[in-house]
Amino acid sequence: MIVVLNRNAEEEKKQNLMNWLKEMSVDIHISDGEYQTVLGLIGDTSKIDTDLIESLDIVEAVKRISEPFKSANRKFHPDDTVIDINGVKIGGGNFVMIAGPCSVESEEQLLDIAVKAKQAGASLLRGGAFKPRTSPYAFQGMRAEGLELLLKAKEKTGMPIVTEIMDASHLPLFDGVDVIQVGARNMQNFELLKVLGKTNKPILLKRGLSSTMQELLMSAEYIMAGGNENVILCERGIRTFETYTRNTLDVSAVPMLKELSHLPVVVDPSHATGVARMVKPMSLASAAAGADGLMIEVHNNPAKALCDGPQSLTPEQFADVANSVNKIISAL
Ligand code: PEP
Ligand code: MN
């Protein structure tokens, strides 16, 4: 349920209303927008007398929310959420380019890519240290050592870093990490989501391979229910019958998620297509569809990459994509 307050609602009356609502054991989520304040009520609201609340002079409207996601719902928070990632803002018109290798492979590799990606316009550096691989015999990532290298790259370039967590027990290693990624395979690892909900770090939540948008939003809700509202949604392609591309990029998820939710939405065209030459057209389409950012895999030697070489761009190719995307952003 949401209670929309009048623009000039007196603070004392507002507090009285909130105290009364809290006595009915509901949690209140306050969204102070430019034009209105929305109180989002979470919990059992069935016993709340909506007519009574609506009759108060500080209340403009009371509405029941039918969707199962509440904190992530745009009705709870009409304005776009803007997340500040160590000085880099995403959402609410702030477009962000995230670039870097699929996996951290060595110091030279990561630093070379990081410096070039930054020059080309990336403001966040990605790189997997813990890698979710289909085969147990494939490269599993440099793990803790990879995280150390990411921190070095962050120090050298000043770029905040994004990297994937696969197990809650690894969280202490993620202290210096700016954005914790939850990969597609872990989107419904609810225990992990609950733990991340207790942190104050921005979480990049990737859509599961066969997950609906509502399931993605419910996973965001798990994180937000714990108190961490800094969730970035990521469309990274879903599994369909198509085989020419690794996944099928659901571009329509961008405007739909942005309509349903106030959270920033980024697109990962690399995993969505699995094909380097598809990354540019899909990046342009995603920007045109209203995405708040892109996450693109960049490697200094894609042919030798230990993971996802075929979908990785060279730094030069990334610079070309970033340049064209900027034209779309300024045209919008
Ligand atoms: C990744 O971003 O490195 C990754 C493994 O992506 P996904 O979880 O979308 O497959
Ligand atoms: Mn990858």
Side-chain angles (χ1 to χ4, degrees):
M1 183 191 280
I2 56 165
V3 179
V4 183
L5 301 183
N6 283 332
R7 222 170 145 175
N8 305 315
E10 297 98 312
E11 198 48 43
E12 197 187 332
K13 289 188 179 174
K14 202 162 118 182
Q15 283 306 327
N16 287 343
L17 172 60
M18 290 204 291
N19 291 341
W20 181 69
L21 289 168
K22 277 184 199 152
E23 277 166 23
M24 298 205 253
S25 309
V26 290
D27 280 333
I28 306 177
H29 176 284
I30 307 167
S31 167
D32 259 323
E34 202 179 329
Y35 300 108
Q36 59 186 15
T37 297
V38 175
L39 304 181
L41 310 187
I42 302 173
D44 180 9
T45 55
S46 59
K47 291 186 193 70
I48 295 179
D49 184 344
T50 51
D51 292 339
L52 179 66
I53 300 177
E54 211 153 24
S55 70
L56 299 175
D57 63 357
I58 59 164
V59 173
E60 192 174 295
V62 180
K63 287 180 208 144
R64 293 220 176 255
I65 304 296
S66 50
E67 292 87 6
F69 50 92
K70 311 291 179 189
S71 298
N73 203 312
R74 194 177 274 283
K75 291 172 189 157
F76 262 50
H77 190 290
D79 296 335
D80 284 349
T81 281
V82 178
I83 300 178
D84 192 319
I85 306 160
N86 251 334
V88 177
K89 288 200 172 91
I90 182 163
N94 302 286
F95 190 90
V96 165
M97 289 282 220
I98 309 168
C102 177
S103 311
V104 177
E105 298 172 9
S106 68
E107 181 167 343
E108 303 71 54
Q109 173 245 18
L110 185 64
L111 287 179
D112 187 28
I113 297 168
V115 168
K116 289 176 178 160
K118 186 177 180 185
Q119 269 168 9
S123 39
L124 297 182
L125 174 67
R126 67 147 285 148
F130 292 91
K131 293 303 303 175
R133 303 303 301 276
T134 302
S135 165
Y137 310 117
F139 174 58
Q140 301 288 305
M142 290 181 76
R143 303 171 68 84
E145 208 188 326
L147 288 177
E148 296 280 323
L149 296 180
L150 282 162
L151 292 177
K152 258 195 189 166
K154 171 179 167 175
E155 201 180 293
K156 169 135 194 220
T157 60
M159 289 164 101
I161 52 176
V162 184
T163 193
E164 178 167 351
I165 192 162
M166 284 174 45
D167 194 283
S169 67
H170 298 155
L171 192 59
L173 297 169
F174 283 67
D175 244 5
V177 171
D178 302 282
V179 179
I180 301 181
Q181 175 175 322
V182 174
R185 289 154 192 84
N186 264 318
M187 187 202 87
Q188 287 191 316
N189 182 341
F190 301 118
E191 291 301 319
L192 176 62
L193 300 178
K194 283 183 201 168
V195 170
L196 296 174
K198 295 287 172 207
T199 70
N200 57 5
K201 290 202 187 278
I203 308 295
L204 181 95
L205 178 64
K206 299 189 95 177
R207 182 176 181 181
L209 291 106
S210 304
S211 298
T212 64
M213 291 181 223
Q214 187 170 102
E215 285 163 341
L216 172 61
L217 291 167
M218 290 311 291
S219 291
E221 192 75 17
Y222 260 95
I223 300 167
M224 300 175 88
N228 184 357
E229 310 219 318
N230 299 316
V231 180
I232 302 162
L233 304 171
C234 179
E235 162 60 39
R236 46 78 72 204
I238 47 174
R239 193 162 271 192
T240 67
F241 45 79
E242 184 51 65
T243 55
Y244 281 123
T245 47
R246 184 175 176 183
N247 292 290
T248 296
L249 176 61
D250 183 4
V251 188
S252 66
V254 175
M256 185 63 85
L257 289 170
K258 290 189 65 75
E259 186 180 301
L260 293 166
S261 177
H262 51 89
L263 298 172
V265 177
V266 311
V267 173
D268 170 351
S270 308
H271 291 91
T273 61
V275 183
R277 65 181 187 286
M278 299 287 125
V279 170
K280 181 174 179 181
M282 292 303 95
S283 297
L284 300 180
S286 303
D292 297 294
L294 288 165
M295 180 155 90
I296 296 178
E297 285 189 342
V298 177
H299 199 284
N300 51 354
N301 188 353
K304 291 267 165 67
L306 295 181
C307 184
D308 288 348
Q311 68 193 36
S312 299
L313 302 186
T314 61
E316 295 71 32
Q317 288 168 332
F318 171 68
D320 170 53
V321 173
N323 192 28
S324 299
V325 165
N326 284 335
K327 289 185 193 148
I328 299 267
I329 301 297
S330 22
L332 286 177

